[in-house]
């Protein structure tokens, strides 16, 4: 049985817009083990992005408990959550979110600025180059994002997400801004990373992309409507 | 370590938009440049005023005899009494520790000088000691000054100002010429440097200076004094007590004087003693010491008024200094207002920058930046902006004052305090006006920020 990395118990999220309360997540319970490759699917408005934000420690649930790596993270301080995001979580966004007019290498090592143990700048550079090589951009370390193609930019973003060697990688529509060819490249990269032991959690609305994952969780109106893990008595082995 | 990397990050992000960075800091640059220029010009003119005042001898202290009550209660104004004697001057030199230099002064009055067929009445004719030239910062143009020996021997030598050279000697060198002062012939031994008009507008160069003993003994003679005004100098001999009016070419020998020194009559009075303190800060102290000493020497009781007047022109000088300080402060105030305006500009651009970089802030938060990391980043960014503006302002301001000095010939003086203050002020402006934008940035919700278009 795989070790549990993420455990959600009856998570609810309600937005309060003045007097109207808008429930977005309604009692989600979920377990994701180490090394899994999960796709969160659902139509827009199904709550998948909200769930992703809660999973990524960017947002807090309004009900229920969220255990990340055995620790309840919904109620800890913002600074501790920042530390968890820095050390244990990598993010890949739909729109890459690279710093403009900043070299690929500087983009990649940016998270190291916020890492508690200060790395020397040469050590940071070395790690940044290593991460860029890992995503196949070893010869483009000094290029600005504007000089890179969409696929290359997304790979720089993946290298940035991996710089602190986190156990889990979140990707929010990672191929949303890419053409089909580069999408395949990026998805292959996720598969490789997953094969190397990193837990990958994707948010997508495309079945094609979701098919790359080993487990697809379907969301609708803030509830899980389909999760293979619930059907199968035995949890999948990564 | 973290601070250094944050500063580097800030520099990088400022370099991403150099035009805007420059325009943003322009307010600070102009403000600081204005402060630096003001301070340098202000300091320059202050020390120029000080120097010219010192040249006029304005840092000197004048000791004059007091007023005198004549017969029938008619008071005759300051200087009328006969109360200062040469021994007072020597005692001031000896017993007042704050006094650096002193010189007796004997006024010649309106005495005619004659050279060949030219006559002239100099507006200033004084008998002095050599220290006088040092007190007045007066250098010799040609020839030499008279010496203490010449003072002690009533030597008939004199030093003249450039106006005398022009009017009496027709511009020729007067050295070794025989100049008649009143009835006495003097040898001209030196010409003084041109000083120009004094603060009251009278020509300082229209002057003849002789040893004070010669002036007193040979030219002016002794003034009449009354015994009541010279309580300390009451003499035993009736001949001295009731001094001869008019000329006294052969003063009586003082019984107390035994040294191998010029013998002055006890009634040899001085018109003035000019004194300088060892430095300008000790001026007040020197005035106090001189007053105390003279009261003691003149045997004045507690209830008695001073029989002398001590005038301290440092007051006049501090007034002038105050005026120029006031002007400098006023201009500085205006310059500080421009700094505040510059600071508002910084705040404005930092707010724009925070809005513009909302996604970057969201991203930084998503990869693990804490609120205080964001706060620090933007605060350091605005401080870096302001300090680099400040440094540019210092260079610009110094350059401007150098330019003013060369083009307009105004005196300037570099002011290290102003430079330190400029750096501190610009850093403070950076913190004050950068805080609100930085705080706003640190309060952003990462999810909102990442989604911001």
């Amino acid at each position: 049985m795989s070790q549990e990395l993420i455990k959600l118990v009856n998570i609810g999220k309600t937005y309060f817009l003045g007097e109207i309360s808008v429930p977005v997540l309604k009692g989600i319970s979920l377990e994701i083990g180490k090394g899994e490759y999960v796709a969160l699917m659902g139509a827009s408005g199904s709550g998948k992005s909200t769930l992703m934000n809660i999973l990524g420690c960017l947002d807090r649930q309004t009900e229920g408990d969220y255990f990340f790596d055995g620790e309840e993270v919904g109620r800890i301080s913002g600074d501790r959550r920042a530390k968890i995001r820095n050390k244990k979580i990598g993010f890949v966004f739909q729109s890459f979110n690279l710093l403009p007019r900043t070299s690929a290498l500087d983009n990649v090592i940016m998270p190291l600025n916020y890492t508690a143990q200060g790395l020397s700048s040469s050590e940071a550079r070395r790690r940044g180059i290593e991460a860029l090589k890992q995503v196949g951009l070893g010869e483009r370390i000094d290029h600005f994002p504007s000089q890179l193609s969409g696929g290359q930019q997304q790979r720089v973003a993946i290298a940035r997400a991996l710089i602190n060697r986190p156990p889990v990688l979140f990707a929010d529509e990672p191929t949303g801004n890419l053409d089909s060819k580069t999408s395949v490249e990026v998805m292959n990269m996720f598969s490789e990373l997953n094969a190397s032991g990193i837990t990958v959690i994707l948010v997508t609305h495309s079945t094609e992309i979701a098919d790359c994952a080993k487990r697809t969780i379907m969301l609708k109106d803030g509830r899980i409507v389909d999760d293979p893990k619930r059907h199968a008595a035995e949890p999948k082995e990564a | 370590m973290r601070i250094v990397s944050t500063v580097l990050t800030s520099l990088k992000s400022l370099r991403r938009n150099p035009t805007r960075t420059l325009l943003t800091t322009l307010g600070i640059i102009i403000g600081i440049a204005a402060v630096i220029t003001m301070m340098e010009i202000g300091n320059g003119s202050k020390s120029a005023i000080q120097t010219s005042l010192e040249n006029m001898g304005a840092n000197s202290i004048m000791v004059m005899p007091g007023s005198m009550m004549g017969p029938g209660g008619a008071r005759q104004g300051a200087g009328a009494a006969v109360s200062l004697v040469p021994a007072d001057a020597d005692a001031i030199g000896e017993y007042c520790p704050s006094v650096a230099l002193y010189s007796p002064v004997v006024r010649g009055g309106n005495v005619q000088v004659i050279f060949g067929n030219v006559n002239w009445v100099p507006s200033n004719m004084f008998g002095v000691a050599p220290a006088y030239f040092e007190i007045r910062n007066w250098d010799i143009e040609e020839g030499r000054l008279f010496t203490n020996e010449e003072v002690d021997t009533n030597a008939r030598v004199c030093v003249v100002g450039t106006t005398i050279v022009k009017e009496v000697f027709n511009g020729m060198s007067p050295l070794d010429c025989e100049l008649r002062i009143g009835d006495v012939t003097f040898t001209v031994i030196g010409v003084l440097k041109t000083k120009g008009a004094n603060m009251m507008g009278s020509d300082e160069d229209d002057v003849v200076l002789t040893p004070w003993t010669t002036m007193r003994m040979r030219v002016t003679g002794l003034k009449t004094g009354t015994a009541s005004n010279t309580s300390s100098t009451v003499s035993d001999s009736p001949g001295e007590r009731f001094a001869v009016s008019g000329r006294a070419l052969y003063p009586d020998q003082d019984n107390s004087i035994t040294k191998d020194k010029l013998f002055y009559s006890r009634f040899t009075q001085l018109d003035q003693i000019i004194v300088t303190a060892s430095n300008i800060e000790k001026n007040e102290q020197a005035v106090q010491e001189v007053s105390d000493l003279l009261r003691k020497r003149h045997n004045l009781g507690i209830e008695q008024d001073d029989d002398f007047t001590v005038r301290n022109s440092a007051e006049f000088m501090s007034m002038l200094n105050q005026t120029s300080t006031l002007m400098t402060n006023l201009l500085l105030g205006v310059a500080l207002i421009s700094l505040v305006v510059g600071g508002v500009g910084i705040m404005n651009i930092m707010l724009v920058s925070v809005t513009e970089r909302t996604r970057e802030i969201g991203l930084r938060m998503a990869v693990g930046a804490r609120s205080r990391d964001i706060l620090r980043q933007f605060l350091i960014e605005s401080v870096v902006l302001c300090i680099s503006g400040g440094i540019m302002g210092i260079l610009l301001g110094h350059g401007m004052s150098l330019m003013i000095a060369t083009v307009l010939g105004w005196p300037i003086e570099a002011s290290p305090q102003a430079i330190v203050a400029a750096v501190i002020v610009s850093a403070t402006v950076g913190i004050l006006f950068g805080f609100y934008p930085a705080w706003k940035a640190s309060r952003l919700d990462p999810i909102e920020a990442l989604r911001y278009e």
Side-chain angles (χ1 to χ4, degrees):
Chain A
M1 185 177 160
S2 70
Q3 272 177 284
E4 262 168 30
L5 183 67
I6 285 168
K7 186 181 180 191
L8 299 183
V9 183
N10 215 12
I11 288 286
K13 174 79 182 174
T14 308
Y15 288 108
F16 296 96
L17 304 168
E19 287 177 9
I20 315 156
S21 59
V22 185
V24 180
L25 298 178
K26 302 159 186 164
I28 296 214
S29 295
L30 182 64
E31 284 170 20
I32 296 171
K34 272 188 184 148
E36 278 201 70
Y37 190 173
V38 181
L40 290 172
M41 269 197 75
S44 53
S46 60
K48 60 185 191 305
S49 288
T50 306
L51 180 59
M52 167 88 162
N53 287 336
I54 289 172
L55 288 174
C57 287
L58 287 169
D59 207 350
R60 291 170 199 260
Q61 72 274 22
T62 44
E63 288 156 48
D65 295 311
Y66 170 24
F67 297 94
F68 181 88
D69 215 6
E71 185 182 15
E72 210 297 316
V73 293
R75 281 178 272 278
I76 60 174
S77 74
D79 284 359
R80 296 230 355 242
R81 285 158 66 91
K83 197 178 167 190
I84 288 173
R85 289 200 295 272
N86 186 242
K87 298 291 288 180
K88 296 187 178 172
I89 295 172
F91 281 101
V92 176
F93 304 95
Q94 179 177 2
S95 50
F96 323 138
N97 276 336
L98 298 177
L99 299 181
R101 275 167 277 193
T102 305
S103 74
L105 179 63
D106 285 340
N107 262 297
V108 169
I109 63 177
M110 190 264 277
L112 293 176
N113 282 333
Y114 306 110
T115 306
Q117 92 273 5
L119 284 166
S120 72
S121 56
S122 58
E123 172 69 9
R125 268 183 75 87
R126 201 186 56 71
R127 262 172 80 168
I129 292 168
E130 192 183 288
L132 278 169
K133 277 184 183 153
Q134 201 181 339
V135 297
L137 289 172
E139 73 286 3
R140 292 187 183 266
I141 54 171
D142 290 326
H143 287 220
F144 289 152
S146 54
Q147 297 165 320
L148 297 171
S149 70
Q152 286 167 334
Q153 288 189 49
Q154 193 60 298
R155 281 192 275 163
V156 172
I158 293 169
R160 180 181 63 199
L162 295 174
I163 189 74
N164 261 326
R165 297 163 188 153
V168 56
L169 194 64
F170 287 93
D172 190 354
E173 303 273 8
T175 58
N177 284 3
L178 300 176
D179 58 44
S180 51
K181 189 170 160 283
T182 42
S183 293
V184 173
E185 282 174 31
V186 168
M187 292 317 294
N188 286 343
M189 188 157 289
F190 282 128
S191 299
E192 278 169 36
L193 291 171
N194 179 242
S196 72
I198 294 170
T199 310
V200 178
I201 298 172
L202 294 174
V203 166
T204 184
H205 60 262
S206 140
T207 31
E208 271 174 58
I209 299 298
D211 284 347
C212 298
K214 293 173 186 162
R215 174 181 168 193
T216 305
I217 297 166
M218 287 290 289
L219 282 152
K220 194 181 177 190
D221 292 335
R223 290 180 215 280
I224 295 175
V225 291
D226 186 27
D227 181 359
K229 208 168 178 180
R230 280 202 295 191
H231 300 307
E234 286 297 315
K236 281 185 183 177
E237 208 60 47
Chain B
M1 177 59 208
R2 300 281 296 270
I3 294 285
V4 171
S5 73
T6 317
V7 169
L8 289 177
T9 315
S10 323
L11 281 173
K12 265 178 205 159
S13 61
L14 291 175
R15 239 196 357 235
R16 274 191 238 152
N17 204 336
T19 318
R20 186 213 269 176
T21 304
L22 187 71
L23 287 176
T24 308
T25 46
L26 205 56
I28 298 291
I29 293 174
I30 292 173
I32 292 286
V35 170
I36 295 287
T37 315
M38 290 308 154
M39 286 301 286
E40 294 197 348
I41 291 174
N43 273 0
S45 60
K46 205 192 276 182
S47 56
I49 288 174
Q50 191 130 345
T51 316
S52 63
L53 284 178
E54 274 169 22
N55 280 340
M56 288 172 182
N59 59 339
S60 56
I61 300 163
M62 316 263 208
V63 187
M64 320 256 285
S67 69
M68 190 183 73
M69 187 90 77
R75 298 175 74 197
Q76 295 177 10
V82 180
S83 60
L84 290 179
V85 294
D88 286 337
D90 292 336
I92 286 171
E94 197 167 343
Y95 298 115
C96 297
S98 304
V99 169
L101 296 164
Y102 70 97
S103 165
V105 176
V106 174
R107 260 190 234 104
N110 292 328
V111 181
Q112 196 181 47
V113 298
I114 296 165
F115 173 70
N117 61 352
V118 187
N119 70 76
W120 180 256
V121 179
S123 49
N124 298 304
M125 167 105 67
F126 297 123
V128 297
Y132 181 84
F133 299 99
E134 211 175 319
I135 293 168
R136 299 286 318 268
N137 274 317
W138 221 343
D139 281 337
I140 205 85
E141 178 76 50
E142 55 176 322
R144 63 175 181 88
L145 295 172
F146 48 79
T147 61
N148 281 316
E149 284 70 44
E150 283 167 320
V151 172
D152 288 349
T153 55
N154 299 8
R156 287 177 292 123
V157 290
C158 69
V159 173
V160 297
T162 45
T163 304
I164 302 290
V165 174
K166 199 175 79 194
E167 299 290 347
V168 180
F169 296 96
N170 205 16
M172 289 179 305
S173 171
L175 291 187
D176 297 327
C177 289
E178 297 276 302
L179 181 71
R180 227 173 79 204
I181 302 174
D183 300 333
V184 191
T185 3
F186 284 73
T187 309
V188 179
I189 58 168
V191 178
L192 292 165
K193 281 210 164 107
T194 306
K195 238 182 179 357
N198 72 1
M199 278 173 282
M200 307 306 167
S202 76
D203 182 6
E204 292 262 53
D205 299 315
D206 190 6
V207 68
V208 174
L209 295 167
T210 72
W212 68 269
T213 46
T214 326
M215 185 65 82
R216 178 53 87 213
M217 302 306 173
R218 295 187 193 266
V219 182
T220 63
L222 295 175
K223 281 186 191 169
T224 320
T226 52
S228 60
N229 292 100
T230 55
S231 41
S232 71
T233 55
V234 171
S235 165
D236 300 324
S237 116
E240 285 177 29
R241 185 185 282 256
F242 304 104
V244 188
S245 65
R247 303 283 147 91
L249 287 171
Y250 307 104
D252 294 343
Q253 181 175 331
D254 191 313
N255 297 332
S256 63
I257 295 173
T258 49
K259 280 184 280 182
D260 181 17
K261 210 179 166 203
L262 174 71
F263 298 143
Y264 333 105
S265 155
R266 278 203 165 185
F267 262 67
T268 307
Q269 88 284 10
L270 299 176
D271 296 320
Q272 209 180 67
I273 300 170
I274 188 166
V275 168
T276 44
S278 44
N279 64 53
I280 218 145
E281 282 75 39
K282 286 201 173 161
N283 234 319
E284 294 296 320
Q285 205 184 326
V287 168
Q288 195 55 48
E289 284 170 8
V290 168
S291 304
D292 290 348
L293 179 79
L294 290 182
R295 282 189 70 84
K296 216 174 279 170
R297 286 184 56 82
H298 295 183
N299 288 333
L300 296 176
I302 292 165
E303 73 288 352
Q304 278 176 287
D305 289 337
D306 288 350
D307 62 353
F308 56 90
T309 321
V310 181
R311 271 194 307 178
N312 180 0
S313 36
E315 273 167 38
F316 181 68
M317 211 148 109
S318 77
M319 189 191 80
L320 272 184
N321 257 345
Q322 267 171 16
T323 316
S324 83
T325 308
L326 188 77
M327 284 309 290
T328 313
N329 285 350
L330 210 69
L331 294 170
L332 207 61
V334 174
L336 282 176
I337 289 171
S338 74
L339 268 183
V340 171
V341 174
V344 173
I346 296 265
M347 177 147 86
N348 192 6
I349 290 297
M350 288 307 290
L351 280 173
V352 170
S353 165
V354 166
T355 313
E356 210 182 55
R357 286 157 65 189
T358 303
R359 287 177 72 107
E360 178 190 329
I361 294 162
L363 171 74
R364 285 180 184 275
M365 284 177 161
V367 302
R370 295 163 298 176
S371 305
R372 77 177 100 129
D373 292 323
I374 301 293
L375 182 82
R376 187 166 62 183
Q377 185 192 341
F378 278 88
L379 211 50
I380 286 182
E381 212 160 286
S382 87
V383 170
V384 165
L385 203 61
C386 285
I387 288 186
S388 47
I391 289 168
M392 279 192 269
I394 288 168
L395 296 177
L396 185 69
H398 190 63
M400 283 217 313
S401 62
L402 283 181
M403 204 178 72
I404 285 170
T406 38
V407 174
L408 299 177
W410 290 8
I412 60 154
E413 194 176 287
S415 160
Q417 304 101 297
I419 289 171
V420 172
V423 172
I424 292 170
V425 163
S426 51
T428 314
V429 165
I431 291 169
L432 281 183
F433 290 94
F435 189 82
Y436 175 63
W439 179 80
K440 243 187 112 180
S442 74
R443 292 292 110 193
L444 284 174
D445 175 16
I447 301 161
E448 297 284 316
L450 277 170
R451 225 179 269 154
Y452 184 85
E453 289 298 326

